[in-house]
Amino acid sequence: MKLRKSATALAITAVLAVTATACGSGSDEGAKNDGKITIGIKFDQPGVGLKTPDGKYEGFDVDVATYVAKELGYEAKDIEWKQAPSAERENLIANGDVDFVVASYSITDERKQKVDFAGPYFLAHQDLLVRADDSSIKDAKDLNSKKLCSVTGSTSAQNVRNDFAPQADLQEMGGYSECLTGLENKAVDALTTDDSILAGYASQKDHQGKFKLAGLNLSDENYGIGLKKGDTELQGDINKAIEKMVEDGSWEKAVKANFGPAGYKNEPAPKITETS
């Protein structure tokens, strides 16, 4: 799939459309969403991917996706954002519901059996978010016999159970916001996912002072941009866009804008590894 849009391509598409109409054909193969591009993001991750109450989209992943789309020839107004919950990302890509996914999507060998990735474009680490007044959880092993929350389809909670706390009582929710509500109400004892996501939640005005990060680097999470398997041309175009974003300073600017308020200390931009 080649998504890069150019004046020449648009002109050719217009000619083909006229020709098809003259021939009585109803096919619109080759034109996708009338010059639009559909990108899957999270809608409920402050600092990463968030749909605000007024219908706007913000976060580091949104900034990355917008930059990549522009390099492919699409302005911000051409982007159609689609919610991409963790458990649905592979299906959205495989079914063609999105052109690609930028949704705190960690690159794993298991996922690469179903989709391809471009990137990585960010390196996060798995951590725990606990209540600010909870001093009982200082290490991942302290989660044994405690209620640990994460979202359905995420690898984070399984990592904890497999490697650190096999007796943790895993509670899987549809979204991180549900886990956060459970944490605040003491229905669960900890929320686990990437530190970037946790920092985004902890820095929200309504949450400041209520929660804290445990400060544990439980894993390395290389965020990649998910796309349909075998689309090497799109993979290459996205990789070039990521490299350009890093080189021209836009990547660092986006990191500081979205994570800086939480005092989050990010890793440098990772090297591109997903190539064909």
Side-chain angles (χ1 to χ4, degrees):
M1 180 194 301
K2 185 169 180 63
L3 292 175
R4 188 178 293 279
K5 189 167 67 173
S6 67
T8 302
L10 290 174
I12 293 172
T13 300
V15 171
L16 291 174
V18 172
T19 303
T21 301
C23 295
S25 172
S27 174
D28 61 355
E29 185 175 357
K32 185 173 179 62
N33 296 335
D34 298 324
K36 298 290 186 180
I37 186 170
T38 304
I39 304 175
I41 59 169
K42 292 293 180 66
F43 279 14
D44 65 344
Q45 291 182 354
V48 181
L50 181 70
K51 182 178 182 180
T52 63
D54 59 359
K56 295 180 180 179
Y57 301 90
E58 61 183 33
F60 180 70
D61 281 353
V62 175
D63 290 344
V64 171
T66 301
Y67 189 101
V68 169
K70 186 174 183 179
E71 289 301 301
L72 294 176
Y74 297 87
E75 298 300 323
K77 63 181 178 61
D78 300 324
I79 300 173
E80 294 183 347
W81 301 106
K82 191 172 184 67
Q83 187 172 18
S86 294
E88 293 299 321
R89 290 175 297 201
E90 285 86 10
N91 289 335
L92 289 171
I93 294 169
N95 295 337
D97 295 324
V98 296
D99 293 301
F100 53 83
V101 168
V102 191
S104 54
Y105 202 1
S106 298
I107 301 170
T108 68
D109 289 339
E110 182 179 0
R111 288 169 178 166
K112 286 168 68 172
Q113 298 299 313
K114 300 177 182 179
V115 301
D116 278 344
F117 287 95
Y121 64 91
F122 192 79
L123 173 59
H125 301 287
Q126 185 183 346
D127 201 355
L128 304 176
L129 190 70
V130 298
R131 288 182 291 276
D133 60 356
D134 188 350
S135 59
S136 66
I137 301 175
K138 298 179 180 179
D139 191 275
K141 65 183 180 182
D142 294 331
L143 290 169
N144 279 311
S145 301
K146 291 186 178 292
K147 293 182 179 179
L148 173 66
C149 192
S150 194
V151 301
T152 305
S154 172
T155 59
S156 299
Q158 293 299 336
N159 287 343
V160 171
R161 288 187 61 177
N162 293 340
D163 300 332
F164 302 101
Q167 296 178 20
D169 182 4
L170 177 58
Q171 308 285 315
E172 291 187 306
M173 303 291 186
Y176 291 110
S177 55
E178 296 173 53
C179 284
L180 200 70
T181 299
L183 183 60
E184 185 173 8
N185 296 337
K186 300 186 177 182
V188 298
D189 300 299
L191 161 59
T192 186
T193 187
D194 303 343
D195 51 9
S196 56
I197 299 171
L198 297 176
Y201 279 116
S203 65
Q204 285 186 299
K205 289 184 179 179
D206 292 345
H207 298 149
Q208 288 179 4
K210 295 181 180 179
F211 310 106
K212 62 183 179 182
L213 274 74
L216 309 177
N217 288 352
L218 302 179
S219 69
D220 292 336
E221 304 294 335
N222 282 291
Y223 290 175
I225 295 180
L227 58 145
K228 187 162 287 188
K229 200 161 184 61
D231 196 343
T232 57
E233 188 171 16
L234 179 58
Q235 181 189 55
D237 287 343
I238 293 175
N239 280 337
K240 290 177 183 177
I242 294 171
E243 290 175 337
K244 183 177 178 181
M245 187 177 186
V246 174
E247 290 169 1
D248 69 14
S250 298
W251 184 90
E252 187 68 23
K253 183 179 178 181
V255 169
K256 298 305 180 188
N258 290 291
F259 302 131
Y264 176 71
K265 297 181 180 179
N266 64 281
E267 299 278 6
K271 293 183 179 180
I272 300 293
T273 60
E274 301 305 303
T275 59
S276 298

